[in-house]
Amino acid sequence: MYRKRGPDALISAEEEDLELERLKDVKRILDNLFQREETTVKMVLDCLYDIASVRLINRKISAQSLRGPLKAVARMSKPAFRFFALRRLQKKAPQLIADWLYSQAARQPRHPIPPEEDPALIDVVPKPAELPPAKLPPLVEIQAAQINSLRDRVGWLSTLLVAVILVTGSLMLFS
């Protein structure tokens, strides 16, 4: 019995079972790798944390006088981050990597299709040089203002979340 998978691929039940078994083997191997190479994974996490924390603070905090203390707090909270990130990485990463590798191996060759432009799509933020505000419907202007307001709120909330996580991590470290 053959099942159709993909645009022009037929696969038998035995081949599908073999694929699933090999995928489980890949997950087990990756799981074993993450357990054996825990020190290497910690070093990778430390490097990524250093890069991400500095970039995030530089991008989100505009006051130069706050950047130094926040970077110090970020360095102090690194052990807490490493503990939680290592646990999550050991649980989730082998499956995610195995799935990604399987998708790469099972991928059909791509035929580039030129993107079609949808005439119904409009730009959310009106450009004054191209479209005068009088030509936009009032609903589009209201929606654009709401979207910009929500983007600002998301920025502030993400900054607040990072600050709370950093403070909580440092408090856990010193308690």
Side-chain angles (χ1 to χ4, degrees), residues 13 17 24 57 62 70 77 103 107 113 115 119 129 135-136 166:
D17 291 341
K24 287 179 186 176
I57 290 170
S62 59
L70 282 177
S77 66
S103 72
R107 179 185 294 176
I113 300 171
K135 290 187 178 179
L136 284 176
L166 292 176

Side-chain angles (χ1 to χ4, degrees), residues 117-123:
E117 292 191 23
D118 188 4
L121 295 178
I122 60 169
D123 192 10

Side-chain angles (χ1 to χ4, degrees), residues 80-150:
F81 164 79
R82 185 189 312 133
F83 174 74
F84 291 111
L86 182 65
R87 287 179 52 199
R88 183 166 174 88
L89 192 68
Q90 286 176 338
K91 284 181 186 176
K92 301 279 183 178
Q95 184 65 46
L96 291 173
I97 293 171
D99 291 344
W100 178 77
L101 289 171
Y102 175 76
S103 72
Q104 296 299 309
R107 179 185 294 176
Q108 299 294 326
R110 283 192 237 161
H111 302 291
I113 300 171
E116 297 179 13
E117 292 191 23
D118 188 4
L121 295 178
I122 60 169
D123 192 10
V124 177
V125 181
K127 295 183 174 81
E130 296 174 8
L131 281 176
K135 290 187 178 179
L136 284 176
L139 180 63
V140 174
E141 289 178 0
I142 293 170
Q143 288 174 341
Q146 289 173 344
I147 289 172
N148 287 333
S149 172
L150 288 173

Side-chain angles (χ1 to χ4, degrees), residues 10-156:
L10 292 176
I11 186 168
S12 68
E14 296 84 24
E15 289 171 337
E16 185 175 6
D17 291 341
L18 179 64
E19 275 186 12
L20 292 175
E21 186 61 36
R22 298 305 290 170
L23 189 60
K24 287 179 186 176
D25 290 344
V26 168
K27 185 195 175 293
R28 278 189 227 117
I29 292 168
L30 287 168
D31 197 22
N32 187 340
L33 177 71
F34 276 98
Q35 295 299 322
R36 277 188 302 118
E37 298 296 330
E38 186 173 327
T39 305
T40 305
V41 172
K42 285 181 182 178
M43 290 171 50
V44 168
L45 286 174
D46 284 348
C47 293
L48 292 176
Y49 180 79
D50 289 339
I51 293 169
S53 63
V54 169
R55 282 184 175 240
L56 185 65
I57 290 170
N58 286 340
R59 187 173 7 135
K60 296 292 183 180
I61 306 300
S62 59
Q64 190 72 20
S65 60
L66 291 177
R67 287 182 183 172
L70 282 177
K71 288 177 185 176
V73 170
R75 280 190 297 272
M76 287 187 291
S77 66
K78 188 192 303 188
F81 164 79
R82 185 189 312 133
F83 174 74
F84 291 111
L86 182 65
R87 287 179 52 199
R88 183 166 174 88
L89 192 68
Q90 286 176 338
K91 284 181 186 176
K92 301 279 183 178
Q95 184 65 46
L96 291 173
I97 293 171
D99 291 344
W100 178 77
L101 289 171
Y102 175 76
S103 72
Q104 296 299 309
R107 179 185 294 176
Q108 299 294 326
R110 283 192 237 161
H111 302 291
I113 300 171
E116 297 179 13
E117 292 191 23
D118 188 4
L121 295 178
I122 60 169
D123 192 10
V124 177
V125 181
K127 295 183 174 81
E130 296 174 8
L131 281 176
K135 290 187 178 179
L136 284 176
L139 180 63
V140 174
E141 289 178 0
I142 293 170
Q143 288 174 341
Q146 289 173 344
I147 289 172
N148 287 333
S149 172
L150 288 173
R151 285 179 182 161
D152 290 341
R153 287 183 187 173
V154 167
W156 278 105

